[in-house]
Amino acid sequence: GVTSMDDFLEEFFPAVYRQKKHAHENNYCKYDNQGLAAFTSSLYIAGLVASLIASPITRKYGRRASIIGGGISFLIGSALNASAVNLAMLILGRVMLGIGIGFGNQ
């Protein structure tokens, strides 16, 4: 949802914003950008990797430690995304959110 908001695109993805304003075809023409794809997929990839890493950590330290670690990671990711000023901060925040989700699923 946020990736289609004009204010968000104008701030972090100006090329996509310009394409969106001029494209009259479909959404694939408007949102064709590697940075936007990296922003979107970074959460899911980090969640997948964190789920695989979280399993041995949960076995060794218990579910409570795993869930607390995931919660802390999620809070850090939320703070990074809320205060992001560039694409690198956005992607790092999404990765931290993905790690939090991956650990929280344990």
Side-chain angles (χ1 to χ4, degrees):
V2 74
T3 58
S4 63
M5 293 173 55
D6 287 341
D7 292 338
F8 175 77
L9 290 174
E10 194 173 14
E11 176 74 25
F12 294 106
F13 301 99
V16 176
Y17 179 71
R18 285 189 300 274
Q19 285 176 338
K20 180 182 175 187
K21 289 297 177 194
H22 293 89
H24 297 290
E25 295 89 22
N26 57 29
N27 286 340
Y28 295 108
C29 295
K30 290 189 256 184
Y31 303 114
D32 184 24
N33 184 282
Q34 289 182 351
L36 188 60
F39 168 76
T40 305
S41 62
S42 60
L43 177 115
Y44 304 114
I45 293 170
L48 171 69
V49 173
S51 292
L52 298 173
I53 293 170
S55 181
I57 291 174
T58 302
R59 248 184 270 123
K60 186 172 183 175
Y61 299 106
R63 280 185 280 173
R64 181 179 179 152
S66 177
I67 292 172
I68 288 172
I72 291 169
S73 174
F74 198 87
L75 288 173
I76 292 170
S78 297
L80 279 171
N81 280 337
S83 63
V85 293
N86 57 30
L87 182 59
M89 280 183 77
L90 273 178
I91 292 176
L92 181 61
R94 292 281 286 195
V95 168
M96 294 303 291
L97 288 171
I99 291 170
I101 290 170
F103 271 80
N105 284 335
Q106 291 296 315

